[in-house]
Amino acid sequence: MRGTPYNKGNILRQLLDAKFKQVGDPGQCHAVAIDGRAPAYDGGIVSRVDSVPLGIVVNNEGKRFFDEGEDFWPKRYAIWGRLIAAQPDQIGYAITDAKADGLFMPTVLPALKSTTIDDLARQIDIPADSLLKTINEFNSAIVSGSFDHQALDGCLTEGLPINKSHWARQIDTPPYSAYPLRPGITFTYLGVAVDDRARVQVERGNPSENIFAAGEMMAGNILGRGYLAGIGMTIGIVFGRIAGREAARHAS
Ligand SMILES: Cc1cc2nc3c(=O)[nH]c(=O)nc-3n(C[C@H](O)[C@H](O)[C@H](O)COP(=O)(O)OP(=O)(O)OC[C@H]3O[C@@H](n4cnc5c(N)ncnc54)[C@H](O)[C@@H]3O)c2cc1C
């Protein structure tokens, strides 16, 4: 849980139980890859791992499971928590080499480092032969391009069961780095339906005249799938202002 432990969804539960209209896909959420060593609550932004697009991510069997370079990181970071949650033991490992150092915001905890892949695998307790095989296959599948981590560059892999679409570079320059990754949930997309005055909708009939919702509990009105950096605060601010104005209008 990336934020406060006090957000337990109690108010949302009460509204849904009282037959206010539900919105959003309960299976979708904003969840990032956080450092597996972070605290269970309130780890904050400094525990988010941003090295993913610059290397590969493997599960505890040493296998890749998703395209790490599918799109720009601000458009993709919020899906990685869900991807990791679907892996064995809900853990993953972001692996990079020295070429990636300095190109991403480091977490508050230093990466695990080693001069050999063998030793790095031992440190994160995954099968070294499997990790080596994954890296060798990945390195061999790279179609060379002109690396540019600030553009959708032409560095990709071909012929792998899961290819990497951008920023694919050989993992060959020690020291190698690993971050253990855990799913860090920010908020789910399950919420109450609101109208453009932030009034909470009932399942049947007119919207509530005196109950207004803003922020995460109504984010599912805006977010269907995926995420774009900044939308969380935007939903809170825009609908917070509307809900406040409407509540004041109702009270006056
Ligand atoms: C680590 C982290 C990084 C983030 N980074 C970004 C970012 O870079 N950009 C972005 O746009 N968004 C970001 N977000 C998301 C964004 O912060 C949230 O979407 C936004 O703050 C939600 O606003 P809110 O008002 O809905 O909820 P909150 O700000 O969580 O406010 C809800 C309040 O209600 C209180 N509360 C809960 N239950 C009860 C109760 N029963 N009775 C009384 N009070 C209660 C809680 O204590 C809390 O103070 C981040 C979130 C986290 C956790």
Side-chain angles (χ1 to χ4, degrees):
M1 178 65 79
R2 301 178 67 215
T4 169
Y6 303 112
N7 280 349
K8 294 183 189 295
N10 295 341
I11 307 290
L12 176 59
R13 181 76 273 155
Q14 283 172 20
L15 290 172
L16 295 180
D17 287 349
K19 302 287 180 226
F20 286 96
K21 196 170 166 192
Q22 178 175 316
V23 74
D25 179 351
Q28 293 290 324
C29 58
H30 181 298
V32 307
I34 60 160
D35 194 314
R37 301 160 294 178
Y41 294 96
D42 255 344
I45 193 73
V46 292
S47 63
R48 192 178 81 197
V49 177
D50 285 342
S51 65
V52 170
L54 296 163
I56 60 167
V57 176
V58 297
N59 59 21
N60 63 6
E61 294 162 357
K63 293 180 181 152
R64 290 177 61 241
F65 51 88
F66 200 79
D67 180 352
E68 302 88 347
E70 195 181 38
D71 207 337
F72 284 117
W73 191 231
K75 288 163 75 177
R76 283 295 173 273
Y77 69 85
I79 68 169
W80 275 87
R82 200 159 41 83
L83 296 172
I84 291 158
Q87 293 308 303
D89 299 328
Q90 300 196 322
I91 194 158
Y93 300 92
I95 312 286
T96 49
D97 72 1
K99 298 194 295 298
D101 291 351
L103 297 184
F104 62 93
M105 184 177 71
T107 77
V108 72
L109 299 166
L112 301 165
K113 285 198 178 274
S114 181
T115 51
T116 69
I117 296 293
D118 234 32
D119 179 56
L120 193 69
R122 259 190 298 278
Q123 288 190 46
I124 56 180
D125 200 21
I126 67 173
D129 51 348
S130 175
L131 180 60
L132 264 172
K133 183 168 179 284
T134 297
I135 290 177
N136 288 337
E137 285 172 359
F138 176 80
N139 286 349
S140 311
I142 291 172
V143 178
S144 56
S146 178
F147 175 80
D148 181 353
H149 72 292
Q150 292 179 329
L152 295 175
D153 65 6
C155 298
L156 47 87
T157 65
E158 277 178 4
L160 295 175
I162 299 168
N163 280 305
K164 185 172 177 185
S165 302
H166 305 96
W167 313 297
R169 285 200 295 182
Q170 303 238 348
I171 297 174
D172 59 2
T173 311
Y176 304 101
S177 297
Y179 282 102
L181 307 175
R182 289 284 185 190
I185 189 153
T186 322
F187 57 94
T188 75
Y189 292 0
L190 179 70
V192 283
V194 297
D195 63 9
D196 59 359
R197 291 169 55 193
R199 294 181 302 180
V200 176
Q201 308 286 292
V202 285
E203 271 177 12
R204 288 188 191 83
N206 296 326
S208 169
E209 285 303 320
N210 63 352
I211 302 180
F212 306 91
E216 293 178 354
M217 72 157 60
M218 48 66 66
N221 289 269
I222 315 286
L223 293 164
R225 299 170 69 86
Y227 188 73
L228 181 65
I231 293 280
M233 293 302 300
T234 306
I235 293 171
I237 290 166
V238 170
F239 276 87
R241 185 175 164 85
I242 295 171
R245 185 190 65 206
E246 293 297 324
R249 194 205 309 267
H250 178 78
S252 61

